[in-house]
Amino acid sequence: MDTSKIISLLGDKSDYYLNHVCKTIDKSLLHLPSPTCVDDVWGNSDRNIQTLNSLQTLLGHGRLANTGYVSILPVDQDIEHTAGSSFAPNPIYFDPENIVKLAIEGGCNAVASTFGILGSVARKYAHKIPFLVKLNHNELLTYPNSYNQIVFGTVKEAWNMGAVAVGATIYFGSEQSRRQLVEIANAFEYAHELGMATVLWCYLRNSSFKKDGIDYSAAADLTGQANHLGVTIKADIIKQKLPENNGGFTAINFGKIDQKMYTELTTEHPIDLCRYQVANNYMGRVGLINSGGESHGASDLKDAVVTAVINKRAGGMGLISGRKAFQRPMKDGVELLHSIQDIYLDKDITIA
Protein backbone atom coordinates (compact mmCIF):
# COMPACT_ATOMS: atom_id res chain seq x y z
CA MET A 1 0.00 0.00 0.00
CA ASP A 2 1.53 3.31 -1.05
CA THR A 3 1.39 6.43 1.10
CA SER A 4 -1.27 8.04 -1.08
CA LYS A 5 -3.69 5.16 -0.36
CA ILE A 6 -2.94 5.43 3.36
CA ILE A 7 -3.72 9.16 3.19
CA SER A 8 -6.92 8.38 1.30
CA LEU A 9 -8.02 5.85 3.94
CA LEU A 10 -7.31 8.30 6.76
CA GLY A 11 -9.33 10.97 4.93
CA ASP A 12 -9.68 14.30 6.69
CA LYS A 13 -7.78 12.82 9.67
CA SER A 14 -4.60 12.14 7.69
CA ASP A 15 -2.78 15.25 8.93
CA TYR A 16 -3.99 14.54 12.48
CA TYR A 17 -2.38 11.11 12.46
CA LEU A 18 0.57 11.43 10.08
CA ASN A 19 1.95 14.85 11.04
CA HIS A 20 1.34 14.93 14.78
CA VAL A 21 4.41 15.90 16.84
CA CYS A 22 4.54 14.33 20.29
CA LYS A 23 5.52 16.99 22.85
CA THR A 24 4.93 14.88 25.95
CA ILE A 25 7.53 12.09 26.20
CA ASP A 26 10.22 12.90 23.66
CA LYS A 27 11.08 10.24 21.08
CA SER A 28 14.77 10.54 21.97
CA LEU A 29 13.98 8.82 25.28
CA LEU A 30 12.59 5.70 23.62
CA HIS A 31 14.15 2.40 22.63
CA LEU A 32 12.65 2.06 19.16
CA PRO A 33 12.14 -1.09 17.06
CA SER A 34 15.10 -1.69 14.76
CA PRO A 35 16.83 -4.50 12.86
CA THR A 36 19.31 -4.80 15.75
CA CYS A 37 16.94 -4.50 18.70
CA VAL A 38 17.74 -8.00 20.02
CA ASP A 39 21.40 -7.03 20.23
CA ASP A 40 20.80 -3.46 21.36
CA VAL A 41 18.14 -4.11 24.01
CA TRP A 42 17.83 -7.77 24.95
CA GLY A 43 21.57 -8.38 24.59
CA ASN A 44 22.02 -6.34 27.78
CA SER A 45 19.40 -8.27 29.74
CA ASP A 46 19.49 -11.51 31.73
CA ARG A 47 17.69 -13.44 28.95
CA ASN A 48 19.64 -16.59 28.10
CA ILE A 49 21.07 -17.35 24.66
CA GLN A 50 18.19 -19.61 23.63
CA THR A 51 15.64 -16.92 24.52
CA LEU A 52 17.56 -14.36 22.46
CA ASN A 53 17.51 -16.86 19.62
CA SER A 54 13.73 -17.27 19.97
CA LEU A 55 13.21 -13.49 19.98
CA GLN A 56 15.32 -13.20 16.84
CA THR A 57 13.38 -16.05 15.21
CA LEU A 58 10.13 -14.22 15.94
CA LEU A 59 11.49 -10.92 14.66
CA GLY A 60 13.14 -12.52 11.65
CA HIS A 61 10.07 -14.05 10.00
CA GLY A 62 7.43 -12.85 7.54
CA ARG A 63 7.10 -9.60 5.58
CA LEU A 64 8.38 -7.54 8.52
CA ALA A 65 11.45 -9.74 9.02
CA ASN A 66 14.43 -7.93 10.54
CA THR A 67 12.71 -4.55 10.82
CA GLY A 68 12.11 -4.76 14.57
CA TYR A 69 8.34 -4.74 13.96
CA VAL A 70 5.92 -7.64 14.21
CA SER A 71 2.57 -8.66 12.77
CA ILE A 72 0.97 -11.57 14.62
CA LEU A 73 -2.22 -13.47 13.84
CA PRO A 74 -4.00 -14.41 17.10
CA VAL A 75 -6.80 -16.96 17.15
CA ASP A 76 -8.02 -17.86 20.62
CA GLN A 77 -11.46 -16.32 20.28
CA ASP A 78 -12.90 -19.83 19.82
CA ILE A 79 -12.23 -20.33 23.55
CA GLU A 80 -12.66 -16.76 24.75
CA HIS A 81 -15.87 -15.99 22.82
CA THR A 82 -17.11 -19.46 21.63
CA ALA A 83 -16.08 -21.15 18.41
CA GLY A 84 -19.49 -20.61 16.80
CA SER A 85 -19.47 -16.85 17.20
CA SER A 86 -15.85 -16.65 16.04
CA PHE A 87 -15.88 -18.96 13.04
CA ALA A 88 -19.48 -18.70 11.77
CA PRO A 89 -18.53 -15.78 9.45
CA ASN A 90 -15.97 -18.10 7.80
CA PRO A 91 -16.35 -21.78 8.84
CA ILE A 92 -13.11 -22.93 7.16
CA TYR A 93 -11.32 -21.75 10.30
CA PHE A 94 -12.86 -24.51 12.38
CA ASP A 95 -9.96 -26.42 10.75
CA PRO A 96 -6.73 -25.32 12.49
CA GLU A 97 -4.65 -25.80 9.34
CA ASN A 98 -6.42 -22.88 7.66
CA ILE A 99 -5.54 -20.62 10.60
CA VAL A 100 -1.85 -21.39 10.14
CA LYS A 101 -2.15 -21.05 6.36
CA LEU A 102 -3.65 -17.57 6.82
CA ALA A 103 -0.73 -16.54 9.02
CA ILE A 104 1.78 -17.84 6.45
CA GLU A 105 0.03 -16.37 3.42
CA GLY A 106 -0.50 -13.16 5.37
CA GLY A 107 3.24 -12.77 5.92
CA CYS A 108 2.95 -12.76 9.71
CA ASN A 109 5.88 -13.04 12.10
CA ALA A 110 4.00 -15.66 14.14
CA VAL A 111 0.69 -17.37 14.72
CA ALA A 112 -0.71 -17.19 18.26
CA SER A 113 -3.29 -19.76 19.29
CA THR A 114 -4.32 -22.52 21.66
CA PHE A 115 -2.60 -25.77 22.60
CA GLY A 116 -5.23 -27.68 20.61
CA ILE A 117 -5.07 -25.63 17.42
CA LEU A 118 -1.29 -25.41 17.17
CA GLY A 119 -0.67 -28.91 18.51
CA SER A 120 -2.94 -30.44 15.88
CA VAL A 121 -0.69 -29.25 13.03
CA ALA A 122 2.63 -28.75 14.81
CA ARG A 123 4.60 -31.46 13.00
CA LYS A 124 3.69 -29.93 9.63
CA TYR A 125 4.05 -26.24 10.44
CA ALA A 126 6.08 -25.47 13.60
CA HIS A 127 9.26 -25.19 11.52
CA LYS A 128 7.56 -23.04 8.86
CA ILE A 129 6.21 -20.21 11.00
CA PRO A 130 6.96 -19.33 14.66
CA PHE A 131 4.35 -20.68 17.08
CA LEU A 132 3.16 -18.56 20.02
CA VAL A 133 1.15 -20.82 22.33
CA LYS A 134 -1.44 -19.19 24.58
CA LEU A 135 -1.19 -20.80 28.03
CA ASN A 136 -4.46 -19.62 29.57
CA HIS A 137 -7.97 -18.61 28.60
CA ASN A 138 -11.29 -17.39 29.95
CA GLU A 139 -13.70 -20.08 28.75
CA LEU A 140 -17.38 -19.20 28.43
CA LEU A 141 -19.15 -22.34 29.65
CA THR A 142 -18.77 -21.63 33.35
CA TYR A 143 -22.05 -19.98 34.33
CA PRO A 144 -22.29 -17.32 35.51
CA ASN A 145 -19.05 -16.32 33.82
CA SER A 146 -16.36 -14.51 35.78
CA TYR A 147 -13.24 -12.49 34.99
CA ASN A 148 -10.80 -15.37 35.25
CA GLN A 149 -8.08 -17.03 33.22
CA ILE A 150 -7.50 -20.76 33.52
CA VAL A 151 -4.27 -22.48 32.47
CA PHE A 152 -4.98 -24.98 29.67
CA GLY A 153 -1.53 -26.59 29.39
CA THR A 154 2.09 -26.43 30.47
CA VAL A 155 5.11 -24.48 29.31
CA LYS A 156 6.91 -27.77 28.63
CA GLU A 157 4.04 -28.88 26.41
CA ALA A 158 4.44 -25.70 24.34
CA TRP A 159 8.19 -26.28 24.14
CA ASN A 160 7.65 -29.88 23.02
CA MET A 161 5.50 -28.77 20.08
CA GLY A 162 8.31 -26.49 18.87
CA ALA A 163 6.93 -23.14 19.97
CA VAL A 164 9.31 -20.17 20.10
CA ALA A 165 7.10 -18.25 22.53
CA VAL A 166 4.32 -18.59 25.06
CA GLY A 167 1.59 -16.07 25.74
CA ALA A 168 -0.78 -15.50 28.63
CA THR A 169 -3.47 -13.10 29.83
CA ILE A 170 -3.74 -11.46 33.20
CA TYR A 171 -7.02 -9.71 34.02
CA PHE A 172 -5.62 -6.88 36.08
CA GLY A 173 -8.17 -5.47 38.49
CA SER A 174 -10.17 -8.70 38.74
CA GLU A 175 -10.60 -10.74 41.91
CA GLN A 176 -8.30 -13.39 40.45
CA SER A 177 -5.54 -11.06 39.23
CA ARG A 178 -3.11 -11.74 42.07
CA ARG A 179 -3.34 -15.49 41.56
CA GLN A 180 -2.87 -15.02 37.82
CA LEU A 181 0.11 -12.72 38.43
CA VAL A 182 1.95 -15.35 40.48
CA GLU A 183 0.91 -18.16 38.11
CA ILE A 184 2.12 -16.41 34.98
CA ALA A 185 5.31 -15.04 36.60
CA ASN A 186 6.27 -18.64 37.38
CA ALA A 187 5.32 -19.80 33.89
CA PHE A 188 7.37 -17.03 32.26
CA GLU A 189 10.39 -17.89 34.41
CA TYR A 190 10.25 -21.49 33.20
CA ALA A 191 9.66 -20.42 29.60
CA HIS A 192 12.80 -18.29 29.72
CA GLU A 193 14.70 -21.18 31.29
CA LEU A 194 13.70 -23.32 28.30
CA GLY A 195 14.61 -20.50 25.89
CA MET A 196 11.18 -19.29 24.81
CA ALA A 197 10.05 -15.68 24.47
CA THR A 198 7.10 -14.44 26.56
CA VAL A 199 4.09 -12.33 25.53
CA LEU A 200 1.56 -10.96 28.02
CA TRP A 201 -1.98 -9.81 27.27
CA CYS A 202 -2.35 -7.03 29.89
CA TYR A 203 -6.11 -6.53 30.03
CA LEU A 204 -8.22 -4.83 32.70
CA ARG A 205 -11.42 -6.42 33.99
CA ASN A 206 -13.47 -4.91 36.79
CA SER A 207 -17.02 -3.56 36.64
CA SER A 208 -15.93 -0.71 38.92
CA PHE A 209 -13.72 0.63 36.12
CA LYS A 210 -16.95 1.93 34.56
CA LYS A 211 -18.04 5.29 35.94
CA ASP A 212 -20.79 7.63 34.81
CA GLY A 213 -21.32 5.63 31.65
CA ILE A 214 -17.63 5.69 30.65
CA ASP A 215 -15.53 2.52 30.54
CA TYR A 216 -12.00 3.21 31.75
CA SER A 217 -10.69 -0.33 31.22
CA ALA A 218 -8.86 1.00 28.15
CA ALA A 219 -7.75 4.28 29.76
CA ALA A 220 -4.13 5.25 29.15
CA ASP A 221 -3.29 5.58 32.84
CA LEU A 222 -4.80 2.22 33.86
CA THR A 223 -3.51 0.28 30.84
CA GLY A 224 -0.11 1.93 31.26
CA GLN A 225 0.13 0.60 34.81
CA ALA A 226 -1.07 -2.84 33.68
CA ASN A 227 1.76 -2.81 31.13
CA HIS A 228 4.22 -1.85 33.85
CA LEU A 229 3.15 -4.81 35.96
CA GLY A 230 3.53 -7.02 32.90
CA VAL A 231 7.10 -6.00 32.18
CA THR A 232 7.89 -6.48 35.87
CA ILE A 233 7.24 -10.22 35.53
CA LYS A 234 9.51 -10.27 32.45
CA ALA A 235 7.14 -10.25 29.54
CA ASP A 236 9.28 -9.74 26.42
CA ILE A 237 6.32 -8.28 24.50
CA ILE A 238 3.16 -6.66 25.89
CA LYS A 239 -0.19 -6.87 24.13
CA GLN A 240 -2.55 -4.05 25.06
CA LYS A 241 -5.68 -2.41 23.72
CA LEU A 242 -5.18 0.99 22.14
CA PRO A 243 -6.10 3.68 24.70
CA GLU A 244 -9.63 4.98 24.30
CA ASN A 245 -9.57 7.65 27.02
CA ASN A 246 -7.60 8.72 30.10
CA GLY A 247 -8.11 9.65 33.73
CA GLY A 248 -9.23 6.26 34.99
CA PHE A 249 -7.49 6.63 38.33
CA THR A 250 -9.10 10.01 39.01
CA ALA A 251 -12.56 8.98 37.75
CA ILE A 252 -12.84 6.01 40.09
CA ASN A 253 -10.82 7.70 42.86
CA PHE A 254 -8.35 4.84 43.03
CA GLY A 255 -4.57 4.45 43.05
CA LYS A 256 -1.83 7.03 43.35
CA ILE A 257 -1.28 9.72 40.73
CA ASP A 258 0.79 12.76 39.93
CA GLN A 259 -1.09 15.41 37.96
CA LYS A 260 1.82 15.52 35.51
CA MET A 261 0.58 12.14 34.26
CA TYR A 262 -2.27 14.08 32.66
CA THR A 263 -0.85 17.58 32.17
CA GLU A 264 2.66 16.80 30.86
CA LEU A 265 3.00 13.08 30.02
CA THR A 266 -0.21 12.77 27.98
CA THR A 267 -2.67 14.78 25.92
CA GLU A 268 -5.97 13.71 24.35
CA HIS A 269 -4.22 12.78 21.10
CA PRO A 270 -4.29 8.98 20.56
CA ILE A 271 -0.58 8.89 19.65
CA ASP A 272 0.32 10.63 22.92
CA LEU A 273 -1.92 8.25 24.88
CA CYS A 274 -0.25 5.26 23.23
CA ARG A 275 3.18 6.84 23.87
CA TYR A 276 2.34 6.69 27.60
CA GLN A 277 1.76 2.93 27.24
CA VAL A 278 5.16 2.59 25.53
CA ALA A 279 6.82 4.58 28.32
CA ASN A 280 5.45 2.12 30.87
CA ASN A 281 7.12 -0.66 28.86
CA TYR A 282 10.50 0.56 30.15
CA MET A 283 10.53 3.30 27.50
CA GLY A 284 10.11 0.72 24.74
CA ARG A 285 12.71 -1.79 25.93
CA VAL A 286 9.77 -4.20 26.01
CA GLY A 287 7.82 -4.02 22.77
CA LEU A 288 4.20 -2.86 22.72
CA ILE A 289 1.79 -4.52 20.31
CA ASN A 290 -1.76 -3.20 20.19
CA SER A 291 -4.75 -5.39 19.47
CA GLY A 292 -6.72 -5.11 16.25
CA GLY A 293 -10.08 -5.48 17.98
CA GLU A 294 -13.32 -6.95 16.73
CA SER A 295 -14.47 -6.91 13.13
CA HIS A 296 -16.89 -4.15 12.11
CA GLY A 297 -17.10 -5.14 8.46
CA ALA A 298 -16.61 -2.37 5.91
CA SER A 299 -14.53 -0.15 8.20
CA ASP A 300 -12.02 -2.88 9.16
CA LEU A 301 -9.28 -1.82 6.75
CA LYS A 302 -9.43 1.82 7.80
CA ASP A 303 -9.60 0.88 11.49
CA ALA A 304 -6.57 -1.41 11.15
CA VAL A 305 -4.56 1.26 9.32
CA VAL A 306 -5.40 3.89 11.95
CA THR A 307 -4.36 1.54 14.78
CA ALA A 308 -1.09 0.67 13.02
CA VAL A 309 -0.23 4.32 12.38
CA ILE A 310 -0.91 5.23 16.01
CA ASN A 311 1.12 2.30 17.33
CA LYS A 312 4.09 2.91 15.03
CA ARG A 313 4.23 6.66 15.53
CA ALA A 314 3.89 6.23 19.31
CA GLY A 315 6.91 3.90 19.42
CA GLY A 316 5.16 0.52 19.46
CA MET A 317 6.44 -2.58 17.70
CA GLY A 318 3.40 -3.82 15.83
CA LEU A 319 -0.13 -5.17 15.73
CA ILE A 320 -1.77 -8.44 16.72
CA SER A 321 -4.93 -8.62 14.64
CA GLY A 322 -7.20 -11.66 14.44
CA ARG A 323 -10.94 -11.25 13.88
CA LYS A 324 -10.50 -8.54 11.26
CA ALA A 325 -8.47 -11.07 9.26
CA PHE A 326 -10.09 -14.47 9.81
CA GLN A 327 -13.73 -13.39 9.84
CA ARG A 328 -13.62 -12.81 6.08
CA PRO A 329 -12.53 -14.81 3.00
CA MET A 330 -8.87 -15.85 3.24
CA LYS A 331 -7.86 -13.72 0.25
CA ASP A 332 -9.33 -10.64 1.91
CA GLY A 333 -7.78 -11.57 5.25
CA VAL A 334 -4.35 -11.80 3.63
CA GLU A 335 -4.88 -8.41 2.00
CA LEU A 336 -5.80 -6.83 5.34
CA LEU A 337 -2.74 -8.30 7.09
CA HIS A 338 -0.52 -7.02 4.27
CA SER A 339 -2.07 -3.56 4.60
CA ILE A 340 -1.20 -3.49 8.31
CA GLN A 341 2.35 -4.60 7.56
CA ASP A 342 2.69 -1.95 4.86
CA ILE A 343 2.36 0.75 7.53
CA TYR A 344 5.45 -0.59 9.29
CA LEU A 345 7.34 -0.96 5.99
CA ASP A 346 6.53 2.61 4.93
CA LYS A 347 9.62 4.73 5.71
CA ASP A 348 7.58 7.93 5.39
CA ILE A 349 5.56 7.03 8.50
CA THR A 350 7.96 7.83 11.30
CA ILE A 351 8.07 8.16 15.08
CA ALA A 352 6.10 11.19 16.29
Side-chain angles (χ1 to χ4, degrees):
M1 186 190 301
D2 57 36
T3 306
S4 61
K5 185 174 180 181
I6 295 170
I7 292 171
S8 176
L9 279 170
L10 296 177
D12 59 3
K13 287 277 194 177
S14 62
D15 183 69
Y16 179 72
Y17 290 119
L18 296 176
N19 296 320
H20 173 70
V21 177
C22 183
K23 297 179 180 178
T24 55
I25 298 168
D26 192 79
K27 62 184 179 183
S28 65
L29 300 174
L30 302 178
H31 299 269
L32 297 174
S34 75
T36 58
C37 62
V38 173
D39 290 336
D40 298 342
V41 177
W42 293 119
N44 295 316
S45 74
D46 64 352
R47 306 307 195 258
N48 63 31
I49 293 171
Q50 289 289 2
T51 300
L52 297 180
N53 187 44
S54 292
L55 284 165
Q56 188 59 58
T57 298
L58 187 67
L59 287 163
H61 192 85
R63 293 184 73 231
L64 298 182
N66 303 314
T67 62
Y69 294 106
V70 298
S71 166
I72 298 174
L73 176 72
V75 184
D76 62 353
Q77 293 85 353
D78 56 315
I79 303 298
E80 299 276 347
H81 305 155
T82 76
S85 67
S86 300
F87 298 144
N90 197 354
I92 67 167
Y93 291 113
F94 275 106
D95 184 341
E97 185 168 13
N98 288 320
I99 291 170
V100 180
K101 283 181 177 178
L102 174 61
I104 292 172
E105 292 295 319
C108 293
N109 295 71
V111 56
S113 198
T114 66
F115 281 98
I117 284 174
L118 296 178
S120 69
V121 294
R123 186 165 277 105
K124 185 173 182 179
Y125 288 105
H127 59 293
K128 295 177 181 176
I129 183 170
F131 277 13
L132 165 55
V133 180
K134 190 83 187 317
L135 297 174
N136 64 1
H137 306 281
N138 183 27
E139 49 78 30
L140 275 176
L141 275 183
T142 299
Y143 186 82
N145 200 236
S146 63
Y147 297 138
N148 200 0
Q149 288 278 325
I150 303 300
V151 172
F152 270 55
T154 67
V155 172
K156 190 64 178 290
E157 187 180 353
W159 182 83
N160 280 331
M161 76 166 71
V164 304
V166 294
T169 298
I170 294 177
Y171 280 156
F172 290 105
S174 72
E175 290 184 1
Q176 301 293 332
S177 63
R178 289 183 174 179
R179 188 209 87 231
Q180 293 166 15
L181 195 58
V182 173
E183 200 169 68
I184 301 309
N186 289 333
F188 280 7
E189 178 189 21
Y190 188 40
H192 280 146
E193 185 180 325
L194 294 177
M196 289 188 286
T198 57
V199 183
L200 189 64
W201 278 240
C202 289
Y203 287 166
L204 290 113
R205 291 289 189 278
N206 190 314
S207 57
S208 295
F209 291 160
K210 295 181 181 179
K211 187 72 178 291
D212 300 326
I214 300 174
D215 186 356
Y216 290 98
S217 60
D221 53 353
L222 294 180
T223 56
Q225 184 60 21
N227 288 9
H228 202 69
L229 293 172
V231 297
T232 300
I233 64 168
K234 294 189 174 181
D236 298 321
I237 297 172
I238 294 290
K239 179 192 177 188
Q240 184 56 267
K241 294 181 179 180
L242 205 63
E244 296 175 4
N245 48 47
N246 204 2
F249 281 125
T250 56
I252 61 178
N253 194 26
F254 170 72
K256 295 185 180 295
I257 66 161
D258 186 310
Q259 285 300 328
K260 289 182 179 179
M261 291 165 56
Y262 309 108
T263 60
E264 295 184 19
L265 299 186
T266 57
T267 70
E268 293 183 356
H269 198 288
I271 292 174
D272 294 345
L273 295 176
C274 189
R275 174 70 56 88
Y276 186 73
Q277 290 182 338
V278 173
N280 275 281
N281 283 26
Y282 296 152
M283 284 295 189
R285 285 181 182 270
V286 176
L288 171 70
I289 53 176
N290 288 117
S291 53
E294 63 182 298
S295 174
H296 294 112
S299 68
D300 280 356
L301 178 58
K302 178 181 178 180
D303 293 344
V305 166
V306 168
T307 304
V309 169
I310 292 170
N311 173 271
K312 183 181 183 183
R313 300 208 68 224
M317 75 177 300
L319 246 58
I320 180 163
S321 186
R323 282 169 288 175
K324 282 180 168 60
F326 71 75
Q327 289 185 336
R328 61 185 65 235
M330 187 176 289
K331 178 177 177 292
D332 296 342
V334 167
E335 183 180 337
L336 185 135
L337 290 169
H338 285 179
S339 297
I340 290 171
Q341 294 152 12
D342 286 346
I343 301 298
Y344 294 95
L345 293 171
D346 192 326
K347 297 187 185 304
D348 292 328
I349 301 175
T350 58
I351 186 74

